[in-house]
Amino acid sequence: MIVKALEFSNYRNLFDNKILPSERVNVIYGFNAQGKTNLLEAIWLFSGGHSFRGAKENELIKFGENFSKLYMEFFSSERDQKAELILRNSKKEVTINNVKKSSAAYLSQHFSAVVFSPEHLTLIKNGPALRRKFMDGSICQQDLRYAVRLSKYNQTLQQRNALLKEISKHKELKDTLEIWDDVLIDSGAEIIKKRLEFLESLKKNAKELHLGISSGKEELEIEYSSQIFKEKGEYTTDDIKELLRKEFKRVKREDIFSGVTNAGPHRDDLEFYINSKSARRFGSQGQQRSIVLSLKLSEARIMSDAFGESPVVLLDDVMSELDVTRQEFLLKNTEKCQVFITCCEPLENDFLGDVKLFRVEGGNIY
């Protein structure tokens, strides 16, 4: 996949502009808070309509304006394509190849990208929410149905949690919990099953990549951590539903007492081991960063296999956080991708090859 042109109006702090990127490496440089990440975010929005920084739609519109418009021309699926995204009143209007779509999620069926930001460098040592976000974000780009299912699950979870808080005041509502339980169990089992399938591909690729970056000295293992699995094995969707049902019954009293749902995929995690030792507990900062590097490159590989072409790679201010060895490993393993790199100064690295430079200053792009 190749971004051929990106045009934007009233977007964040950026002045209206149109850029024509290189098909290989693009370096976007400038001081902090000038708009470099906003440019990467604009590209990323075409992979599914959500900001990788968690920003809401109205935060993407330039201050004082009531809409923002993004337009991209790109090459994908062996043909030239185009997409338009208009943000207005907390809503998204999406047009793909002159056809209006009901949801921005349809963008992921035409364009895919992998983003690597400083936040990801803390993926191993920080809480499980970031690791779940990593899994779900990658799967959503590959499977539109998963994105719909995950959205439904999260909405139902909010409703069940609201009911749990009401039960403390109105005991008679207790019997209505099962209605929400059934929905959460059905959609939750499908979410967990899809995560397990994704994890099989992730484990294989990340293990190989980590052996490469560690010169064969470290073996990376990844395990899915869920309180419903008491032992290792292969589980069907029906198996997972039954295990979830038992777990929901077991923690029901705790749910009512705490006012939150204590079982389900929203509580699950990933565990990482280097040479059989917990990377979160015993891994050095360098080892943890190597794992994250392996994970993001593995994600790019999985997307390449899913779409039959390499995704666009967005590297947001991570090169300065990596030593030369890891920088070169990253660049070597993205040679088949179009790459966008943000940094404070133009990069000097023999592995970059020919690059196109964009300087960002006060929202202007030169």
Side-chain angles (χ1 to χ4, degrees):
M1 298 186 184
I2 298 171
V3 178
K4 302 184 78 172
L6 177 69
E7 191 172 353
F8 38 89
S9 303
N10 299 336
Y11 184 74
R12 292 275 199 179
N13 77 320
L14 298 178
F15 285 90
D16 296 359
N17 207 333
K18 180 178 182 179
I19 66 168
L20 304 173
S22 161
E23 294 188 1
R24 180 63 190 100
V25 178
N26 300 274
V27 172
I28 303 157
Y29 71 97
F31 295 120
N32 291 331
Q34 301 303 302
K36 304 188 301 293
T37 299
N38 293 342
L39 187 56
L40 259 59
E41 181 184 49
I43 297 171
W44 173 259
L45 284 170
F46 285 94
S47 69
H50 294 286
S51 165
F52 64 80
R53 295 187 281 183
K56 297 178 181 178
E57 283 82 357
N58 57 4
E59 295 174 324
L60 305 177
I61 300 172
K62 179 172 284 190
F63 183 76
E65 303 292 343
N66 58 15
F67 79 97
S68 179
K69 179 180 176 182
L70 300 171
Y71 173 78
M72 179 190 284
E73 295 174 6
F74 59 100
F75 185 82
S76 176
S77 301
E78 300 183 346
R79 65 190 180 104
D80 289 327
Q81 302 194 57
K82 56 187 177 180
E84 182 180 82
L85 181 60
I86 298 176
L87 309 169
R88 193 195 324 263
N89 299 326
S90 299
K91 293 183 179 179
K92 305 184 186 82
E93 300 171 18
V94 180
T95 304
I96 305 173
N97 298 322
N98 298 320
V99 178
K100 288 190 175 182
K101 298 293 182 178
S102 59
S103 170
Y106 284 101
L107 289 164
S108 65
Q109 296 182 314
H110 298 264
F111 180 80
S112 67
V114 170
V115 64
F116 191 179
S117 71
E119 178 189 50
H120 293 118
L121 291 171
T122 63
L123 192 148
I124 306 301
K125 65 180 181 180
N126 279 7
L130 186 58
R131 293 185 283 276
R132 289 193 297 268
K133 181 181 176 182
F134 162 68
M135 275 191 294
D136 292 336
S138 184
I139 300 171
C140 282
Q141 280 203 70
Q142 301 169 49
D143 188 344
L144 180 59
R145 292 172 299 178
Y146 183 85
V148 173
R149 194 173 296 127
L150 185 65
S151 177
K152 179 182 178 182
Y153 179 88
N154 288 330
Q155 290 174 3
T156 307
L157 179 64
Q158 290 178 356
Q159 291 168 323
R160 186 180 192 271
N161 287 343
L163 176 61
L164 285 168
K165 291 178 174 63
E166 286 297 313
I167 288 176
S168 63
K169 306 172 188 175
H170 306 282
K171 303 295 183 184
E172 68 275 10
L173 295 174
K174 184 177 178 180
D175 293 337
T176 63
L177 267 179
E178 290 187 8
I179 298 172
W180 303 110
D181 291 357
D182 290 340
V183 179
L184 284 180
I185 288 167
D186 287 345
S187 56
E190 292 173 345
I191 288 169
I192 292 174
K193 180 61 176 175
K194 191 68 180 180
R195 285 178 179 175
L196 291 173
E197 291 172 356
F198 169 75
L199 186 58
E200 286 305 305
S201 296
L202 186 72
K203 287 164 66 173
K204 178 184 176 183
N205 285 290
K207 185 174 185 176
E208 178 188 332
L209 286 160
H210 197 81
L211 280 171
I213 198 171
S214 66
S215 301
K217 298 175 183 177
E218 297 176 354
E219 187 168 328
L220 173 64
E221 295 292 339
I222 311 171
E223 291 184 6
Y224 190 82
S225 175
S226 175
Q227 61 198 43
I228 69 169
F229 297 134
K230 307 304 180 186
E231 55 187 45
K232 294 182 180 180
E234 293 188 10
Y235 295 90
T236 66
T237 304
D238 287 338
D239 292 336
I240 298 170
K241 284 182 182 179
E242 186 59 31
L243 290 171
L244 278 174
R245 195 172 301 280
K246 290 179 180 178
E247 190 65 14
F248 267 70
K249 288 180 180 179
R250 188 185 72 81
V251 300
K252 185 174 183 179
R253 182 176 296 179
E254 182 184 351
D255 287 355
I256 294 172
F257 179 77
S258 64
V260 295
T261 304
N262 290 283
H266 64 286
R267 310 284 292 188
D268 294 349
D269 199 357
L270 288 178
E271 297 286 350
F272 301 91
Y273 300 90
I274 293 178
N275 296 338
S276 302
K277 290 185 178 181
S278 170
R280 185 168 61 87
R281 293 174 60 194
F282 303 110
S284 67
Q285 185 183 66
Q287 287 175 319
Q288 291 179 354
R289 292 190 171 193
S290 291
I291 293 174
V292 174
L293 188 54
S294 300
L295 290 176
K296 298 305 293 184
L297 290 172
S298 178
E299 182 184 10
R301 279 191 183 183
I302 292 170
M303 285 192 181
S304 295
D305 292 339
F307 291 99
E309 56 189 327
S310 299
V312 172
V313 174
L314 309 174
L315 306 177
D316 183 28
D317 200 27
V318 294
M319 298 299 280
S320 61
E321 302 289 337
L322 302 173
D323 60 27
V324 174
T325 300
R326 291 182 178 87
Q327 282 187 20
E328 293 182 351
F329 188 83
L330 174 58
L331 294 171
K332 182 179 179 181
N333 281 275
T334 54
E335 285 178 334
K336 296 181 180 180
C337 305
Q338 184 185 35
V339 180
F340 292 81
I341 303 171
T342 64
C343 50
C344 291
E345 299 288 342
L347 285 176
E348 294 183 6
N349 193 307
D350 293 339
F351 279 82
L352 281 173
D354 293 331
V355 303
K356 190 165 188 177
L357 296 174
F358 295 90
R359 179 169 60 87
V360 183
E361 184 178 332
N364 282 301
I365 301 175
Y366 303 95

